[in-house]
Amino acid sequence: MKQRTPLLNQPRVQRVLYPVLIGVVLVALWQWMVVAMELPSYLVPSPYLMMQTLVTDWAPLGNALLVTLKITVLSFALATVAGVLISFLFVQSKRIETALFPYAVLLQVTPIVAVAPLIIIWVKNPVAAMTVCAALVALFPIISNTTLGLRSIDPDLQSYFKLNRATRWQQLVRLRIPSALPYFFGGLRISSGLALIGAVVAEFVAGTGGSGAGLAYQILQAGFQLNIPRMFAALLLISLTGVALFVLMAWLTKVALGSWHASELSQD
C-alpha cells in the first residue's frame, strides 16, 4: 500500500502555504513599524487602514477596477491574436522573419509613454486608444515565445513529415503548433501582466476622468488630495489583478499541457 504524503509536504500545498506565510510576516512587520514609529497616514498608511479604505471607498475603486480590467482583457486578446498571426507569418520563411523581427523588437524597446500621446490623438475613442497602447506593450512576448516554439521542432519529425509530403498547413497544425504550445503559454503568462501594466500606463497618459476612469486616475486623484490610503488601496487592487491574471494563465497552461508535457507532469 502506497504511503500517503503528509499534507504539509505536498507540493501543491507548499506552493500556496509558503508565499502566504511570507506575506503574513511582511504585512505584520509593516503594521508594527507604522504603529511603533507613529508614521502619519499621509506618508505610509498601515495595512489595516489600507484595507479599511478599500472597503469604505469600494464604490469608486470597484468601478475603476472594472474599467482597467476591461482595457487589460481587450489589449491582451488583441496582443494574443496579433502575436500568433505574426508568428505564423515568421515561420513561413526565414527571410520574412529576418526582415520583420527587428521591427517587433523596436516595438518592445520603444517606451509606451513616448508613443501613447500620439496614439491617443490618432485614435479618437479613448478606450480603443488605451487598448492599442496596452496591446503594444503585451505584444512582443507572444511574438517572441510563439515564434521560438514554432521553430523548436524535432528535426526527425520534420523529416518524417517531409517524407510523407505533408503540406505547409499540415506541418503547421500537426507538428509546429503542438510543439509551440509550452512556449506560447509561457508568453501568455508574461503578456497578461504586461497588458495590465500597459493599461495603467495608458490611463495615466490619457488622463481620463469621470465614470470611465480607471485605477490610474484614482491613484492620480488620491495623490493630488494626499489621500494616500486610497492610493495604496488602488495599488493593492492592481497588484491583486496581476496575480489573478498570472494564476489564470498558469491554470490554463495546466489544463492544456498537464496530461502530456514534461513541464507540467514533473512533481519536483
Side-chain angles (χ1 to χ4, degrees):
M1 183 175 179
K2 186 177 179 180
Q3 186 177 5
R4 186 176 181 181
T5 305
L7 183 63
L8 295 180
N9 291 336
Q10 295 180 10
R12 293 182 179 180
V13 176
Q14 291 177 351
R15 282 195 294 267
V16 176
L17 181 61
Y18 291 168
V20 169
L21 288 177
I22 295 296
V24 170
V25 171
L26 292 177
V27 170
L29 181 62
W30 177 4
Q31 179 73 31
W32 175 80
M33 291 183 63
V34 170
V35 174
M37 300 176 66
E38 298 182 354
L39 296 175
S41 61
Y42 60 83
L43 289 180
V44 181
S46 66
Y48 174 78
L49 180 59
M50 179 179 63
M51 296 303 298
Q52 187 180 43
T53 304
L54 183 61
V55 173
T56 56
D57 295 354
W58 175 250
L61 290 176
N63 292 333
L65 174 62
L66 291 178
V67 174
T68 300
L69 193 58
K70 174 184 175 181
I71 297 172
T72 300
V73 172
L74 290 175
S75 61
F76 180 53
L78 178 60
T80 301
V81 173
V84 169
L85 293 178
I86 293 172
S87 299
F88 286 168
L89 176 64
F90 282 175
V91 298
Q92 299 307 309
S93 169
K94 194 66 177 178
R95 293 181 179 179
I96 294 177
E97 181 181 355
T98 302
L100 298 181
F101 196 80
Y103 294 98
V105 177
L106 185 64
L107 286 176
Q108 173 70 9
V109 300
T110 302
I112 189 61
V113 293
V115 298
L118 294 175
I119 295 175
I120 292 172
I121 293 174
W122 294 338
V123 182
K124 300 302 181 182
N125 186 286
V127 174
M130 290 185 287
T131 299
V132 172
C133 292
L136 290 177
V137 177
L139 182 61
F140 184 77
I142 301 293
I143 296 176
S144 178
N145 283 36
T146 307
T147 302
L148 177 62
L150 292 172
R151 291 287 186 193
S152 301
I153 57 177
D154 190 330
D156 294 334
L157 285 176
Q158 187 176 20
S159 300
Y160 176 76
F161 271 71
K162 289 182 178 179
L163 183 65
N164 287 274
R165 298 180 180 179
T167 63
R168 282 183 176 270
W169 175 254
Q170 289 174 328
Q171 291 186 40
L172 177 64
V173 173
R174 298 184 181 181
L175 177 61
R176 294 189 181 274
I177 290 180
S179 300
L181 283 179
Y183 299 86
F184 169 70
F185 282 106
L188 289 185
R189 286 197 292 267
I190 300 172
S191 181
S192 60
L194 291 178
L196 176 61
I197 295 173
V200 174
V201 172
E203 289 174 354
F204 271 118
V205 176
T208 55
S211 59
L215 287 173
Y217 178 77
Q218 294 294 328
I219 293 174
L220 287 173
Q221 188 181 48
F224 293 147
Q225 299 174 352
L226 289 181
N227 191 350
I228 308 304
R230 176 184 281 195
M231 179 187 292
F232 272 68
L235 290 172
L236 176 63
L237 286 178
I238 293 175
S239 300
L240 293 178
T241 302
V243 172
L245 289 172
F246 183 88
V247 171
L248 177 60
M249 293 303 107
W251 177 77
L252 289 176
T253 304
K254 185 69 175 179
V255 170
L257 308 179
S259 61
W260 62 276
H261 196 264
S263 64
E264 296 298 329
L265 291 174
S266 175
Q267 298 297 323
D268 294 337

